[in-house]
Amino acid sequence: MAIQKLSIIIPAYNEGNTIHLILDKIKAVNLTNDIQKEIIIVNDCSKDNTEMAINAYRHANSELDIQYFKHDINKGKGAALHTGISKATGEYLIIQDADLEYDPEEYNDLLKPVVAGFADVVYGSRFMGSNPHRILFFWHTIGNRWLTFASNMFSNLNLTDMETCYKLFNTQIIQAIKLTEKRFGFEPEITIKISRIPKIRIYEVGISYYGRTYDEGKKIGWKDGVRAIYCILKYGLFKAR
Ligand code: UDP
Ligand code: MG
C-alpha cells in the first residue's frame, strides 16, 4: 500500500512558548515520496497562551491541514494521544511532542522502512546512531534504559528506546488497539500491546535528541517512571491483551 498522507499528532499542555516553532519546523519538512501532512493538535486544557498561539498560527497558515481539538480538563499526554489517534486519516501517523526535543526533518528517516514496504511500526531511538544527542540527566538515561530493558523482557522485543516520543504507526493498526493509559503510561502500554500483534513488523532508526530541562518546560517526573514500571508489569504480566 502506497502511503499518501502522514498524520502528525501533537499533544500540547502549556506549550505556548514553542508550539509555533514546532509547527514551523513541521511546515518546512518535505516528506519523501510526496507524502502529504495532516497535523492534529490536541490541547490538553492548557492554562497558558497555547490556544491563542495555535489559532494565530492556523490563521497565518491556512494552506496547512491543521485540525485542532481540546480537552475540557487536563487529562495527560496519553489521553491527548487517544483523542488525536482517533481523528487521524493518514495511512500512517507519528507522535510529535509540542516542544523542540525532536527534529521533524527526521520523519523521513522513520518513513524510510515504511515506504520501502518493510515496516508497520517504526520507533526513533535516542540511544543509537551518530545523530546529535544533548547531554543531560544521567539518572533519566539509566531510568530509560532500565524501563526499555523491562519492557523488552515482557514483549520479547529488542528495542533500545521504548520511551521515545517518535513512534510511527500504521493508523489502522493503532486505531484497532484499546488504549487506557492517560498519562505517560502510554509508552509501555502501546509498546507491549503492539508486540502482541501477530506478524507485526517493528523497526527502529537512530534519531537526534535536543532534550529540554525542567526550566525549559519538561513535565515528566520520577513518579511517571514508577507508573511506567507498574504499566510494564500490568500489561506485560497480567493482561494478555
Ligand atoms: N502533555 C500533555 N498533557 C499533560 C502533560 C504533557 O498533553 O498533562 C504533552 C506535552 O505538552 C508534550 C508531551 O505531552 O507535548 C510530552 O511532555 P514532556 O515533554 O514534558 O515529556 P517528555 O518529553 O519528557 O516525555
Ligand atoms: Mg518532550
Side-chain angles (χ1 to χ4, degrees):
M1 180 191 63
I3 153 168
Q4 276 159 11
K5 186 162 64 180
L6 176 70
S7 301
I8 299 155
I9 318 276
I10 311 180
Y13 179 58
N14 295 344
E15 305 283 9
N17 287 336
T18 51
I19 187 90
H20 62 290
L21 299 174
I22 193 68
L23 288 168
D24 267 341
K25 284 180 183 256
I26 295 167
K27 179 167 104 173
V29 186
N30 284 317
L31 295 180
T32 172
N33 286 42
D34 279 332
I35 296 171
Q36 301 301 301
K37 292 170 272 189
E38 170 188 65
I39 303 169
I40 299 178
I41 309 174
V42 183
N43 179 354
D44 192 22
C45 198
S46 297
K47 291 165 186 65
D48 69 350
N49 62 335
T50 297
E51 176 159 85
M52 242 166 54
I54 294 167
N55 285 339
Y57 196 89
R58 288 178 82 196
H59 190 72
N61 295 276
S62 51
E63 77 284 5
L64 293 180
D65 179 359
I66 303 182
Q67 325 259 358
Y68 177 58
F69 303 93
K70 59 179 174 184
H71 289 166
D72 295 336
I73 51 165
N74 173 247
K75 296 181 179 169
K77 174 177 177 176
L81 293 177
H82 301 163
T83 302
I85 290 165
S86 73
K87 308 289 182 189
T89 67
E91 295 90 345
Y92 279 74
L93 66 82
I94 188 164
I95 297 164
Q96 170 69 62
D97 283 358
D99 53 52
L100 304 171
E101 295 191 310
Y102 296 78
D103 180 1
E105 281 294 335
E106 295 175 356
Y107 294 167
N108 281 321
D109 296 330
L110 279 96
L111 280 167
K112 204 170 163 193
V114 169
V115 169
F118 290 114
D120 305 306
V121 175
V122 185
Y123 279 29
S125 171
R126 297 165 291 177
F127 301 123
M128 59 189 260
S130 59
N131 307 43
H133 302 114
R134 182 169 178 187
I135 296 305
L136 274 177
F137 313 115
F138 172 71
W139 292 108
H140 276 209
T141 306
I142 297 294
N144 272 323
R145 287 186 194 277
W146 199 88
L147 291 174
T148 299
F149 179 83
S151 157
N152 283 343
M153 282 176 64
F154 291 107
S155 57
N156 193 22
L157 297 178
N158 56 345
L159 289 171
T160 65
D161 189 4
M162 180 272 293
E163 291 278 356
T164 178
C165 161
Y166 269 11
K167 294 183 166 79
L168 183 121
F169 299 94
N170 175 299
T171 303
Q172 276 187 346
I173 291 178
I174 192 167
Q175 284 178 342
I177 297 175
K178 191 177 172 313
L179 294 169
T180 53
E181 289 300 316
K182 296 198 183 337
R183 297 201 172 265
F184 292 104
F186 172 84
E187 318 293 354
E189 181 185 15
I190 188 69
T191 303
I192 290 176
K193 287 187 173 173
I194 54 155
S195 75
R196 301 250 165 86
I197 298 173
K199 297 192 184 150
I200 189 108
R201 300 166 307 165
I202 305 171
Y203 277 72
E204 206 176 45
V205 300
I207 56 162
S208 314
Y209 185 55
Y210 303 90
R212 62 175 172 174
T213 63
Y214 289 92
D215 279 349
E216 290 161 350
K218 199 167 183 69
K219 290 165 196 86
I220 204 163
W222 66 270
K223 284 185 193 151
D224 299 303
V226 176
R227 179 76 192 178
I229 297 169
Y230 168 79
C231 288
I232 291 168
L233 292 173
K234 175 175 169 192
Y235 298 105
L237 216 48
F238 302 117
K239 290 215 168 174
R241 274 211 179 258

